[in-house]
Amino acid sequence: MEEKLYVGNFMEKKYRIVTYGCQMNVHESEKIAGLLRGMGYTETKEDAEADIVVFNTCCIRENAENHAFGNIGALKKLKRRKPGILIAVGGCMTQEAGKAEVLKEKFPFIDIIFGTLNLEKLPELIERRLKEKKKVVEIREKEGEIVEGEEPFRTSYPNAWVNIMYGCNNFCSYCIVPYVRGRERSRKPEHILSEVKKLVAEGYKEITLLGQNVDSYGSDGSTGMTFAQLLDAVASVEGKFRLRFMTSHPKDFGKDVIDVMEKHRKICRLVHLPVQSGSDRILRAMNRRYTGEKYLSEVEMLKSRFPEAEVTTDIIVGFPGETEEDYLATEALVKKADFASAFTFVYSPRTGTKAAEMEDRVPPEVQKDRIMRLVALVNSLTRKKSERYVGRTAVILCEDYDEKKKMYMGRDEFGRMGYFRSERSRIGEFVTLKITVANGISLFGEPVGEEE
């Protein structure tokens, strides 16, 4: 008689997770994968092979939401052919007010709808769906205690992401995050340090501390540590690894963090500091609580301490009421800050935010013109920075193998992607490259040594 594997009440089955949005969502998908694997599921890349497909959605940008709708709708035929397949939808979009009802009405074949605030309940929701044979919708409206002890199934070796906090208290007028991820809750430092030590012991070489606003870690006094103190403690963990953090808020980023960066060389001298606009008038309308001058003073504070330091950013164009003068102020700030790279977006209204109620919308054709001009400017700065690498060496952490280029690839501490050829796998190694060619944001070089 054939032996079958049972874990809990389930035979071994296959899962597929479809992820949208930011790095926070990517890491949460790792947590979902860990929960599913604990139930006996194994991963597949094909919808048709899956016993459960989980959509981890994002609602920060309208195009991410539309993309999710399209992909969920595409499973209608598969559900008809394979009625036993479970389709679950979670993430920011489901947590948005009224969106669960929209999903139920638009996609009646969805089996489970869950939110960002009750992700850890997914196994329980699956059990309910299988036992009761009814659609399960459970969206927690209030954030609860942080659940520790989850074992994410990490898929990005040699990189690992570690949440230090959840939620946001800033209420930028364009942003839905506080409404779908709740208020700020910080993890206890002992849990964070334990996770980091475990990752280092397992051989991870780059760790990124994650939070919507890492600088406000512990601001309610519940942890006994500020973010700078936590950063110091994490950087003091023994072992060779790079340490990054994101995202910092310009209203909070300060000298205490820079002091810790100077103390520990393993902290990458690259800071992601979203500016959003160079116009003080638009920054006030966005409720960002800093000025362009203050922002530039923080960039200068960082670079005066570390001349080699780099800054990346996020920028929104076409915010309600943005004039050509406002846009040109953004261009001017971009030039002064000399960003290593920038994520640029056209403003899209998010229902439930204050900005969505603002009038004086910028016409789409004007938005398009401004984003094209801004992208051209950012790309020109990025190319110039890449060209400076030629003839120099750069230490990259090899992350993967590019099948199309037939080359290994990895990033230096400033986020530049470097490609090289090797007769053996170098994934997980620090490799020194002599850069011979710069192509946009990519570097190409020859190994001249390795750091380990």
Side-chain angles (χ1 to χ4, degrees), residues 26-89:
V26 172
H27 183 43
E28 288 187 349
S29 287
E30 292 182 335
K31 293 180 181 179
I32 292 171
L35 293 170
L36 293 173
R37 293 175 78 85
M39 298 178 71
Y41 287 84
T42 57
E43 186 180 20
T44 178
K45 300 294 185 183
E46 301 297 329
D47 290 337
E49 294 180 357
D51 294 285
I52 181 169
V53 178
V54 182
F55 290 90
N56 187 13
T57 64
C58 176
C59 65
I60 306 303
R61 307 285 172 195
E62 187 177 20
N63 60 347
E65 190 169 299
N66 291 339
H67 195 195
F69 275 149
N71 286 343
I72 294 168
L75 290 190
K76 182 177 181 179
K77 291 181 179 178
L78 177 60
K79 182 71 170 178
R80 194 176 295 145
R81 294 196 314 270
K82 188 179 178 181
I85 188 174
L86 296 182
I87 298 174
V89 182

Side-chain angles (χ1 to χ4, degrees), residues 235-268:
S236 298
V237 171
E238 291 187 8
K240 182 169 184 176
F241 63 96
R242 283 180 181 164
L243 181 60
R244 301 186 189 273
F245 55 88
M246 64 183 300
T247 300
S248 291
H249 195 298
K251 74 178 179 61
D252 299 316
F253 182 72
K255 179 179 177 295
D256 58 343
V257 173
I258 294 175
D259 287 343
V260 176
M261 292 174 68
E262 185 172 46
K263 180 179 176 182
H264 299 280
R265 192 60 189 90
K266 67 175 61 170
I267 303 175
C268 294

Side-chain angles (χ1 to χ4, degrees), residues 249-401:
H249 195 298
K251 74 178 179 61
D252 299 316
F253 182 72
K255 179 179 177 295
D256 58 343
V257 173
I258 294 175
D259 287 343
V260 176
M261 292 174 68
E262 185 172 46
K263 180 179 176 182
H264 299 280
R265 192 60 189 90
K266 67 175 61 170
I267 303 175
C268 294
R269 290 174 180 175
L270 171 72
V271 175
H272 187 64
L273 197 63
V275 66
Q276 306 301 2
S277 176
S279 163
D280 289 350
R281 190 177 70 84
I282 295 299
L283 287 172
R284 285 193 297 273
M286 290 178 166
N287 192 35
R288 292 292 287 174
R289 288 174 280 177
Y290 56 84
T291 63
E293 182 179 2
K294 181 181 186 301
Y295 182 92
L296 289 170
S297 72
E298 292 175 2
V299 173
E300 175 58 29
M301 178 173 58
L302 176 71
K303 293 189 175 184
S304 64
R305 191 79 67 90
F306 316 117
E308 76 280 14
E310 296 284 9
V311 177
T312 58
T313 198
D314 298 340
I315 303 172
I316 297 171
V317 300
F319 189 80
E322 182 188 71
T323 64
E324 179 67 9
E325 183 180 3
D326 293 322
Y327 167 74
L328 290 175
T330 297
E331 278 200 0
L333 185 143
V334 168
K335 292 173 183 175
K336 290 177 182 176
D338 192 25
F339 294 117
S341 64
F343 298 96
T344 57
F345 307 94
V346 171
Y347 169 75
S348 63
R350 299 284 77 198
T351 302
T353 63
K354 289 189 176 182
E357 301 170 3
M358 294 179 180
E359 298 180 355
D360 197 13
R361 296 286 177 85
V362 178
E365 63 273 17
V366 176
Q367 289 184 320
K368 182 178 179 180
D369 173 69
R370 289 176 185 167
I371 194 70
M372 290 178 68
R373 289 154 62 192
L374 182 61
V375 168
L377 172 59
V378 169
N379 286 348
S380 69
L381 295 175
T382 301
R383 281 193 297 271
K384 287 179 182 177
K385 286 183 177 290
S386 293
E387 288 165 2
R388 295 174 195 156
Y389 277 83
V390 176
R392 301 179 181 178
T393 59
V395 178
I396 71 157
L397 173 59
C398 185
E399 301 174 359
D400 207 347
Y401 182 75

Side-chain angles (χ1 to χ4, degrees), residues 208-236:
T208 303
L209 305 180
L210 291 177
Q212 297 295 338
N213 177 16
V214 293
D215 301 285
S216 61
Y217 172 82
S219 59
D220 62 356
S222 63
T223 67
M225 275 191 178
T226 64
F227 173 61
Q229 290 169 330
L230 175 70
L231 187 64
D232 186 17
V234 173
S236 298

Side-chain angles (χ1 to χ4, degrees), residues 113-152:
I113 299 175
F114 64 102
T116 59
L117 303 180
N118 61 332
L119 179 153
E120 76 282 354
K121 295 287 187 182
L122 182 58
E124 179 185 316
L125 303 182
I126 293 172
E127 288 188 18
R128 278 174 49 190
R129 173 66 182 87
L130 293 175
K131 182 179 179 180
E132 300 173 6
K133 310 297 183 185
K134 295 179 181 178
K135 185 189 301 290
V136 176
V137 179
E138 187 166 311
I139 308 292
R140 185 187 291 163
E141 294 185 1
K142 286 287 185 180
E143 59 274 8
E145 294 294 318
I146 294 175
V147 176
E148 296 289 354
E150 296 175 341
E151 286 291 338

